[in-house]
Structures are given as structure tokens and as C-alpha cells.
Amino acid sequence: MNILVINCGSSSVKAEVINTLNKKRLLKMTAERVMDNASIRFSDEEYPLSCKENGHRAVLEQAFPLLVKKLNGTIIHGVGHRVVHGGDAFEQAVVINDDVEQIISSLNRLAPLHNPINLKGIRIARDFFKEIPHIAVFDTAFHNTLPKRAKTYALPDELCKKHKIRRYGFHGTSHDYVSQAAADHLQTDIRALRLITCHLGNGCSLAAVEYGRSIETSMGMTPLEGLVMGTRSGDIDAGILTYLAEQENMSADNIDHLLNKESGLKGISGTNDMRDIIAKASNENDDAARLALQVFTHRLRKYIGAYAAVMGGVDAIIFTGGIGENSPVVRHRTCQRLDFLGAIINEDKNSAITLSEDAPIQSFNMNHSRVQLLAIKTDEQYSIARQTADLVAEKNKVNTTPVIPIAVSARHMHITQETLEQLFGAGYQLTERNPLSQPNQFAANETVTIVGPKNKIERVRILGPVRPKNQIEISRTDEFYLGIDAPVRESGKTENSAGCKVIGPKGEINLKEGLICAWRHIHMTPQDAAIFGVADRDIVEVEVTEGSRSLTFGNVLIRVSPKYKLEMHIDTDEGNAAELGRSAQGVLLKTDGKASLTKKKLR
Ligand code: AMP
């Protein structure tokens, strides 16, 4: 499936279209400085904002049409949205509807900096991509397996219940992704492994993933708890807050700003960038930078020891995120003297690590180390795409019946305005007799006579609205009757097809081409295509499930467009042969190259 992943932040929006089967990135879009002087970037092309206002809506309403244009017809099967806080309400990814939006909105106070913006992105995207399922993937969801003893704060129970105060944990998509990647790399079932995953980026957290389930994690009710981070303090004595409130006359907002934006590495050393800290600590002998590095790695080691104790041992320790993936210094300082745990670092391997798309996992333990030490390139976007694809597939399975309504098309004509006027008089307009099942199509009151070398057929109905090309669709029997050999074609492909005379009440015309025997086909939306696992122009087989005879139609063409309604069209000969009634339905049997899969899925 092709999934559009949207990560909507306060000042930037990142979006990516990912094929979840082969992990291929089809398109990448970034919008920076969303609130002021915004610009939209696709790979190396930058677009300034074309309207005066800035803001998420203005930016995305320009970005989405560009994105669709650049996809050049590639279908998006689902949209995955990163949502930071799922609270108690969402223990896993969820298909978004109005109720889900409402609940996410009710969680705003748990993540005031993130959830409202995530929700804004969801609303704008749902307005634009109306027909596609949208999925919310929560940073907190992976940690829903935390046992009570790990998620409970030692605060009065009533207060915790009233305000939903508990430990939730974050970075779930990353911890989930790297723990599964580690299991795959070690060729061991994740249910047999005890892992410590260290996500060390601007935000930092650890998780203890015991037999596939997160049972401890260092972030809590908010992302503030735990490790030292770029600008967040991580664990501190809560008494400091009341002390500061009194001594410095600080408000709740002041304290929030201090702990989230001015603390951590930045608070200790003046910079939140680990690269600068490492450079300063070694080259300039900068005491503050050295201390920042020491406090950072000390806290990390402390947590690793604690998590090994919580799980009664550890099989692999995983480093990921900007720092975890790229800093041999941090990995070295964290992993030295962990022999007592069975983790023995190989310094040469550690300093040689360069992760890339082609080498996303590298180990850096000695051969005799019982504990595996791994650096893994995280891929949160792919993790969101994968969860979205799973849910889209699941939703399609549950909510959609795999039967296809079958309509028998009587002979008919699609007509241009010019031909209409030749046959019915200048300025003539089609009049609607009854609507057809395909949106905006109708059977007109007007009919024509078509004439072949042998015979003529009267009262051939015109279907509206008028089209850019004339096209007459008849059955094989009609062809024999008229004495014309018309090719079997898909609708719209009239080049070098047969011609005939057409007579109307006010004139006649000799069509050079336009007469075809319509190739039996199924109209469907991109969502239907995702359900059936087919793509535009695939050839499938359909077994008819109604009528007194069982019949399989081979060579059925799939036509996909957001404008279509699910329906198979056959001509009158085929309808008669199968003795189909008005409510006939078929099931998809197989597709080219996907036969057994589709057959299994649908029957
Ligand atoms: P992230 O939030 O995952 O993008 O990580 C951002 C953090 O990774 C910043 O603190 C960077 O300084 C840090 N980082 C990136 N590359 C390196 C590196 N080679 N050595 C140390 N830290 C790095």
C-alpha cells in the first residue's frame, strides 16, 4: 500500500508517501516556518507560499494539491497521522472519524504543545483527502502494555484518577520499530527477547521491551520525565519546583518553560546540540560541556542498569535517534564497564559504525559478549506507515463486503455536443430521463438509430452528460445483426474502431469510428482497489454468485477512479448467457500475478 504519513508540528510539517511493501519513499514534502514566511519543499524544489496568510491550513492547502500532482496518478491508500498523546483513550492506532477527532481534542491538555497541532493537521488532511481512510498513530500507544506498578505515580489515587495522571511514555513508534528490527536482525522471535531500547535524539527515552511488550519506559505523563535531553531536564526532585516557585516567584508557565526549553544539555552547557558538546568537551576542554556529557551518559547508564534489573537480565541494548545512531562517544561512555551485565563493548566496531539506508543495523559488542549491543537507524515514518497500512487493510476487511454489484449495460451512445446538435438541431441540450449508478451520469430521453450494412437498430439510448468523443457500445449479437465487426475495447479507446451511420430526428452523420463492443469491466474507487488488492488496468476473473447458473467471467478489466462507484458492467449478451437478474453480484476470483492471495482473501 502507498501511505501518506503526516507529522504536523508547530512550526514545520513533514509528509512522506511510503510504499509499505518495499519501504520505498515515493515522495517527501517538508513545510518550514509554517506560521511565518512559510515555504514548501519537495526534494530539491522549493515553493514559497502563494497566499498572504501563513498557518497550517494555508500551507497544507497549497502543499496537498502539489503533492497529488507530483504523485502523477500514484494512488494513496491511506493517510497516517502522528499524534503525540493518546491518553487512556487510545491504546493502539485507530481509524479517524469525527468521534476520534473529538477524543483527541479532549486530550489536548495532556500534550498542549503537540496534540492541538496534530489535530489541526488531521482536520485539514481529512478535508482534502476525503475518500481515503485516515489513521491516527500515537506515540504513547506502544507503552499501553506497561504494568500498573510501572505506570502508577505514588500520588493520591483520587487525584490521579480525576486528572488521568499516570505514566504514558512516548517515542512509541521508534521503540516499537527498533525492537522489531533488532529481533529480525538477531533472527530471534521478539517474544523470546529482553531488550533495552535507547532513543537518544533531541528528546530522549528508554524502554524495557520484555518479550515484545513495553514494560518500562523513562518518559511519563509528559515527555519531561527520565533522561537528560536537549532542552528538557528529565528527572528532577519535584521539591525544586515548589522551591523555585517561592524563591523566584515563578508561575506554572515559567516553570514549564524552564524545564522544557532551558534545561537538559542546554541548561548545563549552553547548547542542546550533542555534536557541539562533544567537540567542546574534547577540543576546548570546556568544563560545562564535559559535565553535560557526563550527566547525560550517567543518567543513561543508571536507567540501563535499572531496566536490566526490572527484566531480570537483558539480551540486547539498542541505540537509536540522532545521538544513539551517530555518536560513538556516547555509546562508549554508556556501555563501558557493563561487563557485569554480560555486555562487552567492541571499541573498534563502535567507532567504525556508520549507519545508512543500506546498513541500518550494526552491532558493536565483542563476540563473547552475551548481550548484543546494536546501533539501529530508526524509521518512525515507516513505522507509522506500516501501522496505517495494517489498519487500512483491517478496516477494509471488516467494513466491506467483497461482492461486486453487476449491471448489464444495454446498447448505448456517448455523444459530443457537436454531434448532438447535428442530429437534434442547433443548440440542443440532452434531457435527463433517469440517473445512472455512476455518479453524475444519466440516461437521456434522447435516442438515435444506428445503421450497419445489414440492418439498423432503433432507439439506442444516449447517456449523458456529453463527452469529448463519440462512442457507441453494442453487444456481439448487435454486431452480427448490424453486419459490423466492432473491436472489444475499454471505454474511451475508440481509435481505429468501427464506424456506422447514426440517425437523429434532425439529421444524420457517418461516424468513421466510435463503435465498440465494450470490454467487461469493474468500476471502483482507489479504496475499493486497496480492498481487493488490485490496481487500475489489472485483469481479473469474477464469479457470478446469483442467477441459476454459476458462471465465471474471465478477462475483466479493472478501472479505478475516485469518481467511480463499485460496479461491474457487462453487456446484454453476457447478462443473458449468465441469466442474470437485476440484483446480480460477483466475487473477485483472482488477479494477474496475485491469484492465490486475492482468492484466499475474498472467498
Ligand atoms: P534527532 O532528534 O533524532 O534528530 O537527534 C538530534 C540530536 O542528534 C542532536 O542533539 C544532534 O546534536 C545529535 N547528533 C546528530 N549527529 C550526531 C553526531 N554525529 N554525534 C553526536 N550527536 C549527534
Side-chain angles (χ1 to χ4, degrees), residues 409-414 448 450 460-463 467 471-474 478 491 514-516 518 569:
S409 296
R411 59 181 82 96
H412 61 266
M413 177 173 192
H414 299 286
V448 291
I450 49 178
V460 175
R461 192 153 306 279
I462 299 177
L463 303 188
R467 285 193 179 181
Q471 180 176 311
I472 302 171
E473 295 175 37
I474 57 174
D478 289 344
S491 182
L515 190 69
I516 61 168
H569 288 175

Side-chain angles (χ1 to χ4, degrees), residues 171-213:
H171 290 143
T173 47
S174 180
H175 290 293
D176 183 9
Y177 178 83
V178 295
S179 47
Q180 191 55 58
D184 292 346
H185 175 78
L186 299 172
Q187 299 184 342
T188 309
D189 191 329
I190 194 163
R191 289 167 297 184
L193 289 170
R194 292 161 303 175
L195 307 172
I196 297 175
T197 51
C198 310
H199 179 103
L200 312 175
N202 252 324
C204 301
S205 71
L206 282 92
V209 183
E210 186 182 55
Y211 310 133
R213 294 154 61 89

Side-chain angles (χ1 to χ4, degrees), residues 94-104 122 126 134:
V94 64
V95 179
I96 301 171
N97 56 27
D98 293 348
D99 293 341
V100 168
E101 275 192 11
Q102 195 58 42
I103 302 170
I104 294 174
I122 289 173
R126 283 186 78 205
H134 290 248

Side-chain angles (χ1 to χ4, degrees), residues 205-281:
S205 71
L206 282 92
V209 183
E210 186 182 55
Y211 310 133
R213 294 154 61 89
S214 169
I215 59 139
E216 249 300 359
T217 191
S218 58
M219 284 179 168
M221 170 163 158
T222 74
L224 197 46
E225 192 181 340
L227 297 175
V228 175
M229 308 180 214
T231 58
R232 295 190 194 118
S233 62
D235 296 335
I236 59 164
D237 176 353
I240 297 171
L241 310 184
T242 45
Y243 181 80
L244 279 179
E246 272 173 31
Q247 299 296 316
E248 294 283 322
N249 201 19
M250 288 177 93
S251 67
D253 274 356
N254 295 152
I255 292 176
D256 187 77
H257 181 79
L258 174 80
L259 298 182
N260 276 299
K261 303 280 183 204
E262 301 296 336
S263 301
L265 296 173
K266 184 181 175 193
I268 303 173
S269 73
T271 172
N272 64 336
D273 193 317
M274 185 56 94
R275 280 167 295 202
D276 293 346
I277 290 170
I278 291 170
K280 282 183 185 170

